[in-house]
Amino acid sequence: MSITGPTPPNRFKQRLATGEQQIGLWTVLANGYTAEILAGCGYDWLLIDAEHGPNDLRSVLEQLQGIAAAATVLGGRAAELSQPVVRLPHGDPALIKQYLEIGVRNLLVPMVDTAQQAAELVRAVRYPPRGQRGMGSGLGRSSRWGRWTDYVLTSDDNVCLLVQVETRTALDNIEAIAATDGVDGVLLGPADLAADMGYPEQRTHPEVIAAIDRGVETLRRIGTPAGIMLTDIAAAQEWLRRGVAFAGVGVDSTLLIRAADDLLTRFRQQTPAAEAVGTY
């Protein structure tokens, strides 16, 4: 007998709406095995990066499955799992539809500069008559092939749309972007913003910090959750103190490199020179 039932609520979206701060980790290694390992670490969310990481529809699916599988390690305690967020390479409605159908419920779309762009993205994630998403969920993992019997009816409550503000134009329009009905959160991108302001690779330039601060304050004033991605621990903690609701605080590839480098450095410093142990 087929097991059917209601669609489980999107905990990431729920917690975002209540203002609860959530700590995330960026994953760019594009591997389901890695995603399953990271899902058990305790981060509130994992960002699967299909913009700058070597990901496509199938590799993202593999990682979604890996994250879901981690629940078995936790004794079925799915509530303790990291929630997957997928950053798309762009906001094409056809691409959005495909990612939604493989079960993505939290989408991050980069380079959103205007409220019109934001409104078009909202239409892409919503079913008619409020949007333009095609009625194909019964064929896909999104509704667990029809086993989540109310998927279409509850989709607006469970699909979370995050947009990235990464340019001066976007900052000028941030209030209108954030006020767009259906936008659940806005992530400010320090790296691209710094470059657009004329300070490439200077994310901590005073003008860049001031611009981000204005953006965060605007979002707080109108009640839209603000997010940020930084690998500097002190800086991330400071932005959380200033009211950022969701923060990416590390990248899996960087963590791997640092740990491997640190381990090798310890042995290089402690191991006697090659001639001392004998070379022939």
Side-chain angles (χ1 to χ4, degrees), residues 96-103 127 133-134 136-137 140-142:
I96 287 174
K97 178 169 57 178
Q98 286 187 297
Y99 276 87
L100 290 175
E101 298 303 18
I102 64 169
Y127 289 114
R133 180 182 174 188
S137 66
R141 185 173 180 270
S142 53

Side-chain angles (χ1 to χ4, degrees), residues 16-17 19 183-187 219 223-227 245-246:
L16 205 62
V183 170
D184 295 293
V186 175
L187 187 139
L219 295 171
T224 300
F246 59 108

Side-chain angles (χ1 to χ4, degrees), residues 9-32:
N10 183 338
R11 292 194 303 110
F12 177 81
K13 181 169 180 170
Q14 287 180 333
R15 295 172 70 187
L16 205 62
T18 62
E20 185 178 348
Q21 289 187 322
Q22 300 185 77
I23 307 300
L25 183 73
W26 236 248
T27 174
V28 300
L29 294 178
N31 181 273

